[in-house]
Structure formats: structure tokens, C-alpha cells
Amino acid sequence: MEQASGSGPPPPPAPAAERDMGFAERSLAAAGAAVVSAILVNPLDVAKTRLQAQAAGVVYNPIWSDFRCYPSCSTGGINGFGPSCSPECFQYRGTMDVFSKVTRQEGLFRLWRGTGASLALAVPTVGIYLPSYDLLRNWIEEYSDHNFPQLRPYAPLISGSIARSLACITCSPIELARTRMQAFKESNVGGKPPGMWKTLLGVLSSRQSISSPENFRGYHLLWTGLGAQLARDVPFSAICWTVLEPTRRHLTGLVGDKSNAAVILGANFSAGFIAGVISAGATCPLDVAKTRRQIEKDPERILNMNTRRILLEVWRKEGINGLFRGAGPRMGRAGPSVGIVVSSYEVVKHILHRKHAQL
């Protein structure tokens, strides 16, 4: 990687003890990092999804009849029935406006709506993704060193794309449930919001209303939006690792002490933060398409939707602003999320590597 950019010779191969670490050990390191990240950044994910869903036509009306958004909004409404809040009370204007209105209208903990699904998604996704990336990158680098040196600079891009594809295909139903849970309000007064399993059952129930069942059979509905998700996540991963690997190598080289856990933590968090922000911004239009695909409730429309059509429709109706709707919270979420996951993963790997070396 560095040789390709003209900044020096290629990095040395990973220590043998690290390469001997099994998939299970790498998955354990990745899962712990994913839990921390999913909890901390979930409010930004809710804000991003709400802004994108609103632009797609989801209406955020009052959730109970005597609702008052502000103390200045009088109760009773017209003829003593319904809320008297203006439409402005239910329009999100930006990330901080989502935080403010969700907290006031639905309660603080609704900012962590979908956290259960996020955890259920993050643990297996990252548990598959990071170890697969590590092992694939190591294999490609070893192969290129012996057979095709020109391939080495592309090892992060190739392994990141393949690993992300595997993780997306495996965990797509959970991603579908999380997106729907974050996008929609619960309309039943005092009712418990549907959880992940109930949300997925609701997706399956829509099959009964599809006029052409041969086009959508059984559990295929649980992979609704997989194409849009792959179109978003594979480029995201390719860009992210292409930026992250040389950045963290450069930052670690500046300090020099690669055996210090604090150095590993700082270099990986900084590199992950930078790579996450750049990747999230570059792939935001694809995230808009994925969100619209997964929140669509019209069974007939689901059959005719694809990423290209959605992007063209958004471009015609909303222009460049529509394609980058929710870019702020998406980038604000991706930076710390990638930083936390990668740095925690590398530190745990470092600790396990030292234990292996002492045996």
C-alpha cells in the first residue's frame, strides 16, 4: 500500500502469532467492539433514518390524541378534539431537531430505538466482517508477495469488499428490521413498540397482499433491500479500508512504538474515524436508496424498486440535497463507530497476540 503511494517500501508481514489466531478469537475481539459502538452511536442512526424516511414521505403525526408538543400548544384542538400543534412540530429540520423532538414527543430512550436490533446486527456482522477481512487480507498479501507483487496495494479493497458482502448477505434480515424500527413511530397509546421479531413477522405478513406471489416467495421478503444494502456497504468497505490501512500505518510509524496498546488504540481510532467519515459521505446516496427500499410498505411497489430507479427518482424530485439527506448524522455516526470498532478490535488482538507469544 505505501509502495503504491510512493511513501516507502511495503509494510512487513504480520507476526506469525497474530496470523495463527483463529477465526473464533478474532470474532470474539470484533463482537465486543461492536457492542460498545452500537450503543454509543445509535441516536445518530435514528436521526439519519428519520430524516431519510421523512424525505421519502413518512408522516410523523401526533402519537396520541391529547398530545402537546410545546407547553405553548393548547390541548383540545379543534372543537375540543385532537392536538392543536402546528405541522411544524412534526417536521424534522436536522439532526439536533430530531434529537429534540424525539426526546420531547416520544421520550429520551426512543433515541435508542432499534438498539436491540443494532446489537443483534452488529455482533454477527462485525464478528463475520472483521475476521474475514483480516484473514483474506493476510492471504492476499502472502499470495502477492510470492506471485504477484502488483496485487498487494489492492489487498484492503478486495478483502474489504468480499468480507462485507458475506456479512451483508448473512445479516440482511436484521438490518431490515432495524431500519423499520427506527423509521416508524408506535401509534398505539401505551402500547409496547414492536420488537425485531414482530417487525420481521410484519414484513412476512405483507406477502399475502402481493398479487404476483411467484415474484416474491416465502422468506425472500426478509432480504428486501439486500441489493441496495450491498450497493451501499461494499463501496463503503472498499473506500474505508483503502483509506484506513495507509493512514493507521502512517500514524503508527510516527510514534514508532508498535508494541504499546495505547499507541495501537490511538492510531486505529484516528485512522478509523477519518476513514469512516470519508466513506460515509461518499456513499450517502446509496444509503438513501437502501433506507427507502426497506421502509417501503406497498407490496406492489416493492416488486418494482431497485437502487438505480430510487436514485433517479430522488434526483428528479429533490436534487443533490435529496441524495445526501441525512449525510450529517451518517458521517457523525460512521466516524466514531468505525474508530471504536477497529481500535477495540486491534487492541484485543494485540492482547491475545501477546498471550500467544508467551506460550
Side-chain angles (χ1 to χ4, degrees):
M1 180 71 71
E2 290 185 352
Q3 189 177 28
S5 61
S7 58
E18 181 178 328
R19 288 179 179 269
D20 291 340
M21 287 176 60
F23 189 89
E25 290 175 302
R26 296 172 190 267
S27 296
L28 178 63
V35 169
V36 176
S37 174
I39 294 173
L40 290 179
V41 302
N42 198 78
L44 286 166
D45 210 29
V46 170
K48 181 267 298 181
T49 303
R50 291 279 179 110
L51 289 169
Q52 292 179 351
Q54 178 179 262
V58 175
V59 179
Y60 292 104
N61 289 321
I63 54 178
W64 59 83
S65 60
D66 61 348
F67 176 78
R68 278 201 305 169
C69 186
Y70 295 95
S72 58
C73 296
S74 59
T75 57
I78 301 174
N79 298 323
F81 297 99
S84 61
C85 296
S86 69
E88 190 81 12
C89 294
F90 307 103
Q91 290 290 316
Y92 299 130
R93 302 295 180 186
T95 304
M96 298 309 298
D97 195 42
V98 174
F99 291 163
S100 175
K101 288 177 178 175
V102 168
T103 300
R104 186 169 58 247
Q105 297 171 3
E106 305 173 53
L108 177 64
F109 290 105
R110 285 302 176 92
L111 291 174
W112 278 267
R113 178 87 170 104
T115 299
S118 293
L119 291 173
L121 174 68
V123 172
T125 298
V126 179
I128 294 169
Y129 176 42
L130 288 182
S132 298
Y133 168 78
D134 256 359
L135 296 172
L136 282 168
R137 184 200 61 205
N138 289 343
W139 181 83
I140 292 172
E141 287 179 347
E142 286 180 353
Y143 174 83
S144 63
D145 288 344
H146 292 93
N147 301 285
F148 193 56
Q150 294 87 346
L151 181 63
R152 196 182 221 279
Y154 303 101
L157 186 150
I158 297 170
S159 18
S161 299
I162 296 173
R164 193 66 192 178
S165 298
L166 293 173
C168 283
I169 293 169
T170 305
C171 303
S172 183
I174 307 174
E175 170 70 17
L176 172 64
R178 183 184 69 157
T179 301
R180 291 200 169 206
M181 290 168 69
Q182 292 176 340
F184 301 114
K185 285 185 179 181
E186 170 60 32
S187 58
N188 297 327
V189 181
K192 184 179 179 181
M196 183 178 67
W197 295 113
K198 190 173 181 180
T199 300
L200 290 175
L201 288 174
V203 172
L204 288 174
S205 68
S206 65
R207 180 191 178 199
Q208 300 174 356
S209 61
I210 297 178
S211 59
S212 301
E214 68 274 10
N215 294 327
F216 247 108
R217 294 180 179 176
Y219 295 98
H220 291 184
L221 281 174
L222 296 179
W223 275 263
T224 298
L226 174 61
Q229 186 181 353
L230 287 170
R232 177 199 68 174
D233 285 3
V234 173
F236 177 95
S237 184
I239 296 169
C240 183
W241 289 110
T242 302
V243 173
L244 191 150
E245 289 286 2
T247 303
R248 72 174 169 187
R249 195 175 299 130
H250 176 71
L251 292 173
T252 305
L254 288 177
V255 179
D257 185 5
K258 299 181 181 180
S259 62
N260 190 310
V263 171
I264 294 172
L265 180 68
N268 280 278
F269 179 82
S270 301
F273 190 97
I274 294 169
V277 169
I278 293 173
S279 306
T283 57
C284 189
L286 299 170
D287 185 56
V288 170
K290 194 256 342 171
T291 299
R292 294 203 177 197
R293 181 78 172 84
Q294 292 187 325
I295 66 173
E296 180 58 55
K297 290 188 172 182
D298 183 351
E300 295 293 341
R301 184 167 162 78
I302 288 174
L303 295 175
N304 299 314
M305 294 178 78
N306 61 44
T307 301
R308 179 177 171 274
R309 288 180 182 175
I310 295 171
L311 291 175
L312 288 173
E313 180 181 317
V314 173
W315 172 259
R316 284 196 300 266
K317 292 182 179 179
E318 304 173 49
I320 193 71
N321 289 337
L323 291 175
F324 285 88
R325 188 82 60 191
R330 173 168 164 77
M331 294 167 69
R333 173 193 182 279
S337 179
V338 175
I340 291 169
V341 168
V342 173
S343 59
S344 302
Y345 176 63
E346 291 297 329
V347 168
V348 175
K349 267 177 54 183
H350 173 70
I351 294 171
L352 293 175
H353 160 60
R354 293 184 65 178
K355 288 185 176 180
H356 273 282
Q358 291 172 359
L359 294 177

